[in-house]
């Protein structure tokens, strides 16, 4: 493509599950859709999701009695009440359809085997008779923080199988995918998004894509944690970053960062929660199952935030296993047996062999928590439309929709990509149907010129500035050690100062490769400032939030504070502004009152105002923050009080 | 974690193919880089170290760095492999790296696998040709866990292109389906949700660019990082194709 200006009906930035599922919906409605992707879409990070996708199918004995209301309850509790409960309800309602639709697209879900099945539950081997009537239905395994076995799975390659099935549908629909392209800025007029400036990573050339609707589906920002993440190297938060640059669109809950309990030492490669779901244990250096004492009820299957904290505490207490890379703990899946490991957990088997040279049926797996998921992202309404700019949408991990609040349950994000992809795609298709393309070429070409100038400035700068990779590594150290699993005001203040210094250094950093075309150092440099800015919003958001909620844990404010902090952080920071601007909005309409999660601490500071009073303020507050009107009014998708039959 | 720590760490010498097709002054050649080995060093770690400390222009592709996304296929000492999961301790201290052949070169070690696989998917119509439209109200169609496992086995291909690069035929015929393409076809053939019959598949797999174009050297099966049973895939497709041919001939006689 050699033109400086391209038009389409719908532009989707990101070729993972959320973006492709959204694109399918718009394409099936007859709109022209263009997907941009850093990599061929099947290499997107969705492919790395291993253990499962949550949907309340109630297909096996340990899932009996499950339904969307129970799934909703687990999700809101998991979020530590930070979720928008209406969105959590939409999600729980639609997840079964999304899972079954994937079966229709060809995902080879593992299936229930009627008759006697051997499972490991809380350290015991048990035999359960699955109903013959259920033979051949989609199988489900246990995951953390859930009342029922709900995670539908295809061995331990669930994301891979789902992504391939959805990409097959994208190919079938003839949707154009341009891989090795990157959106580097949004084109907008202050009220409406008109498209994006795109950089071709094969040539280094910039061009504008003008679209009636632009959807950001670029995934999370895990790589701001440097090497301390399970994320792919492409998860640099570019989509959230270009939205932040507008100064109009807020990012939500950036300080809500998930750490996964079991990533491999030292590489940080994910080892699925399905290992613990299928009966694996965590052991300290004395071969003690410390989670049994810490969480007698859920044990290893408490939510990820809770398990990660217990693991770090265990290592701080001197019970970690020493290694040249620092302390770690053990994941023990030996008792699960080779046959199960080589079928239902095959990907884990492969990873242990390939990266450590060990046989997990005979040896312990060294693990530690690292960054895993970005609950924060582009703040959108329940239709997926961004606050502040009409025509801009976000889906999947790039978005703060917000069904995860301050902690996401395992298997809920894979389901979210499909559920929100379908819903937002449908909404995009409706909106686009009534629109004419506004090809405001002046604004677009100005934006292209600005992007070219940024690249040229990097190439033209000389001197003795730091290397971009040096800055990236320094950022990772700050984030993991100051904005990590346990946070304190002092350390967060240090982090803010250190990131500010890195931002200064970024302005004088020097490239050694001056090639204007394909130049991997330049491609990274163009993302670096955005990564530093995202990191600053995480650190400042964490410093301001003087409570502990979900994955955000302040040792100096260890209690959840529903009186002052039952809200969502919003941050805006235009590319030309010195400081980010923070504000707060209610989490959404509350149906399930704040309470104990069923794991973790039961102490908290209670909300003083009534839920009715809280709820009355929601719409006005969110509208003030730029919430765009939704197709259906707020609250229509809540099933008020339905949870009461399931809470004792 | 013992094996690597006990091994003596070495100074590694990399000879790496260089060529930038975007640059008319660029000529294909190799460059040599030397770095110190570290414990558990993979080619992912080594190549990033080379790029970040020795040559910032070096092109290569990684995404997941955990052997599941398929981005980093390259020739490691002449053999197609995933760089991210290749431990340097399994290699001699002199290591040559070339891009995968059979794909269009993007630059240095980076090749365009995306276009190849998209074209293959379009040509083989690699999606479920369903019998009925999706009914959001209905529960899922049942499937035995054994069939699901068999389909999953075929679905495990990560489209890294190692089999294509190792294939004598794919290197001289751009349109040859090669191991990954054959595997993709077989995966849909065994899927009971797909309505296509053996006769429908005949045109896709029977020709010179299909299963009978294979010379039988089976390097694909040797190099597949996922150890997919490509020998069985070829045998299965040959059987199914011949069967479709016989049935067609039989029906003709009856007419």
């Amino acid at each position: 493509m050699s033109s400086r200006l391209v038009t389409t009906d719908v532009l989707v930035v990101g070729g993972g599950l959320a973006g492709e599922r959204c694109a399918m919906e718009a394409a099936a409605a007859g709109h022209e859709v263009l997907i941009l992707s850093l990599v061929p879409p099947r290499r997107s990070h969705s492919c790395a999701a291993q253990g499962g996708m949550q949907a309340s199918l109630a297909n096996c004995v340990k899932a009996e009695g499950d339904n969307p209301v129970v799934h909703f309850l687990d999700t809101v509790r998991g979020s530590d009440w930070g979720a928008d409960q209406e969105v959590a309800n939409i999600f729980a309602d639609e997840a079964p359809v999304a899972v079954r639709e994937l079966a229709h697209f060809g995902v080879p879900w593992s299936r229930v085997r009627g008759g006697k099945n051997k499972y490991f539950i809380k350290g015991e081997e048990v035999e359960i008779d699955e109903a013959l009537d259920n033979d051949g239905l989609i199988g489900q395994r246990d995951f953390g923080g859930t009342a029922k076995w709900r995670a539908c799975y295809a061995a331990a390659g669930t994301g891979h199988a789902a992504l391939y099935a959805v990409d097959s549908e994208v190919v079938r629909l003839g949707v154009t995918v341009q891989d090795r392209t990157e959106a580097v800025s949004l084109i907008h007029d202050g009220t409406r998004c008109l498209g994006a400036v795109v950089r071709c990573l094969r040539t280094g050339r910039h061009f504008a894509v003008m679209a009636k609707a632009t959807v950001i589906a670029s995934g999370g920002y895990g790589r701001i944690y440097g090497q301390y993440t399970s994320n792919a190297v492409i998860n640099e938060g570019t989509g959230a970053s270009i939205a932040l640059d507008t100064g109009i669109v807020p990012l939500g809950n950036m300080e809500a960062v998930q750490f996964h309990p079991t990533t491999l030492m030292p590489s940080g490669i994910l080892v699925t929660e399905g290992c613990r779901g299928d009966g694996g244990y965590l052991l300290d250096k004395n071969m003690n199952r410390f989670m049994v004492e810490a969480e007698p009820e859920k044990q290893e299957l408490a939510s990820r935030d809770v398990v990660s904290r217990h693991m770090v505490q265990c290592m701080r207490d001197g019970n970690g296993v020493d290694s040249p890379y620092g302390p770690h703990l053990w994941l023990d899946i030996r008792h699960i047996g080779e046959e199960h490991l080589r079928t239902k957990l095959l990907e884990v088997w492969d990873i242990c062999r390939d990266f450590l040279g060990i046989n997990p049926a005979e040896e312990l797996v060294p693990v530690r928590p690292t960054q895993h998921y970005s609950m924060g992202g582009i703040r959108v309404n329940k239709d997926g439309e961004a606050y502040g700019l009409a025509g801009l949408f976000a889906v999947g991990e790039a978005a703060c929709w917000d069904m995860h609040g301050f902690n996401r349950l395992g298997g809920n994000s894979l389901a979210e990509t499909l559920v929100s992809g379908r819903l937002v795609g449908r909404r995009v298709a409706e909106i686009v149907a009534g629109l004419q393309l506004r090809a405001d070429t002046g604004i677009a070409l100005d934006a292209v010129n600005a992007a070219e100038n940024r690249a040229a400035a990097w190439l033209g700068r000389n001197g003795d500035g730091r290397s971009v990779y040096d800055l990236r590594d320094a950022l990772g150290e700050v984030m993991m050690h100051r904005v990590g699993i346990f946070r304190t005001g002092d350390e967060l203040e240090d982090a803010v100062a250190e990131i500010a210094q890195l931002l200064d250094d970024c302005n004088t950093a020097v490239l050694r490769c001056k090639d204007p075309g394909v130049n991997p150092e330049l491609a990274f440099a163009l993302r670096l400032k955005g990564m530093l800015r995202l990191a600053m919003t995480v650190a400042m958001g964490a410093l301001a939030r003087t409570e502990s909620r979900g994955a955000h844990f302040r040792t100096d404010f260890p209690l959840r504070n529903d009186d002052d902090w039952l809200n969502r952080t919003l941050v805006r920071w235009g590319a030309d502004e010195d400081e980010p601007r923070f504000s707060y909005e209610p989490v959404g309409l509350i149906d399930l009152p704040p309470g104990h999660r069923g794991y973790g601490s039961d102490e908290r500071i209670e909300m003083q105002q009534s839920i009715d009073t809280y709820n009355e303020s929601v719409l006005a507050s969110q509208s003030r923050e730029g919430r765009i009107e939704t197709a259906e009014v707020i609250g229509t998708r809540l099933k008020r009080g339905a949870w009461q039959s399931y809470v004792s | 974690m013992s094996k690597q720590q006990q091994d003596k760490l070495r100074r590694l010498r990399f000879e790496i193919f260089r060529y930038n097709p975007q640059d008319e002054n660029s000529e294909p050649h190799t460059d040599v880089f030397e770095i110190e080995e570290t414990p558990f060093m993979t080619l992912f770690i080594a190549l990033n170290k080379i790029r970040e400390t020795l040559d910032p222009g070096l092109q290569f592709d990684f995404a997941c760095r955990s052997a599941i996304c398929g981005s980093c296929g390259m020739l490691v000492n002449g053999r197609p492999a995933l760089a991210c999961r290749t431990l340097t301790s399994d290699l001699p201290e002199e290591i040559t790296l070339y891009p995968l052949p059979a794909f269009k070169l993007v630059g240095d070690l980076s090749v365009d696998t995306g276009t190849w696989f998209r074209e293959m998917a379009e040509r083989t119509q690699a999606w479920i040709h369903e019998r009925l439209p999706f009914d959001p109200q209905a529960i899922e169609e049942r499937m035995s866990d054994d069939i699901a496992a068999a389909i999953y086995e075929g679905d495990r291909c990560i489209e890294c292109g190692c089999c294509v690069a190792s294939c004598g035929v794919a290197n001289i015929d751009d349109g040859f389906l090669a191991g990954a393409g054959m595997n993709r076809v077989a995966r849909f053939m065994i899927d009971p949700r797909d309505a296509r019959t053996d006769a429908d598949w005949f045109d896709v797999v029977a020709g010179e660019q299909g299963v009978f174009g294979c010379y039988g050297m089976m390097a694909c099966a040797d190099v597949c990082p996922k150890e997919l049973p490509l020998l069985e895939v070829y045998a299965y497709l040959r059987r199914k194709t011949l069967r479709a041919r016989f049935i067609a001939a039989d029906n003709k006689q009856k007419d």
Side-chain angles (χ1 to χ4, degrees), chain A residues 43 106 113 133 160 347, chain B residues 118 142 146 152 155 159 187:
Chain A
R43 314 213 186 289
R113 286 177 182 265
D133 277 357
H160 167 90
E347 287 64 26
Chain B
R118 170 92 183 209
R142 282 160 208 272
D146 289 335
Y152 182 75
D155 234 5
E159 299 193 346
R187 175 251 174 272

Side-chain angles (χ1 to χ4, degrees), chain A residues 399-431:
Chain A
C400 179
W401 188 26
D402 164 16
M403 55 169 278
H404 305 302
F406 277 76
N407 176 67
R408 166 175 81 75
L409 294 184
N412 259 1
S413 61
L414 200 51
E416 179 193 13
T417 61
L418 280 309
V419 171
S420 68
R422 288 176 88 232
L423 290 177
V424 175
R426 203 166 302 160
R427 181 68 181 147
V428 165
E430 280 169 17
I431 288 177

Side-chain angles (χ1 to χ4, degrees), chain A residues 306-375:
Chain A
V306 170
V307 177
S308 291
R309 279 196 290 277
H310 286 305
M311 290 174 75
V312 171
Q313 193 58 52
C314 177
M315 292 188 279
R316 285 186 179 181
D317 292 344
N319 291 319
V321 183
D322 288 329
S323 86
Y325 299 93
H328 66 81
L329 294 161
W330 298 116
L331 174 67
D332 185 359
I333 50 176
R334 296 172 297 181
H335 53 288
I336 295 174
E338 183 165 336
E339 190 195 334
H340 187 98
L341 295 177
R342 296 193 77 161
T343 52
K344 305 291 190 197
L345 291 168
L346 175 61
E347 287 64 26
V348 174
W349 176 277
D350 284 350
I351 284 168
C352 289
R353 178 197 59 194
D354 293 347
F355 295 93
L356 292 176
I358 64 170
N359 171 356
E362 292 173 0
E363 292 166 85
L364 298 170
V365 184
V367 293
R368 68 173 164 185
T370 58
Q371 193 283 344
H372 181 60
Y373 187 81
S374 313
M375 273 80 73

Side-chain angles (χ1 to χ4, degrees), chain A residues 51-64:
Chain A
M53 176 165 160
Q54 301 281 2
S56 57
L57 303 182
N59 281 350
C60 60
V61 168
K62 297 297 283 182
E64 277 172 12

Side-chain angles (χ1 to χ4, degrees), chain A residues 10 12 17-33 35 94 97-98 101 105 166 169-170 173 175 215 395 417-433, chain B residues 134 136:
Chain A
V10 178
V12 178
L17 273 173
E20 288 211 319
R21 186 63 193 82
C22 185
M24 276 175 62
E25 211 62 29
H31 303 299
E32 188 188 353
V33 181
I35 299 177
E94 309 256 341
V97 180
E101 186 187 58
F105 295 154
V166 169
E169 295 296 312
V170 164
L173 287 162
V175 175
V215 182
V395 281
T417 61
L418 280 309
V419 171
S420 68
R422 288 176 88 232
L423 290 177
V424 175
R426 203 166 302 160
R427 181 68 181 147
V428 165
E430 280 169 17
I431 288 177
V432 163
Chain B
F134 177 62

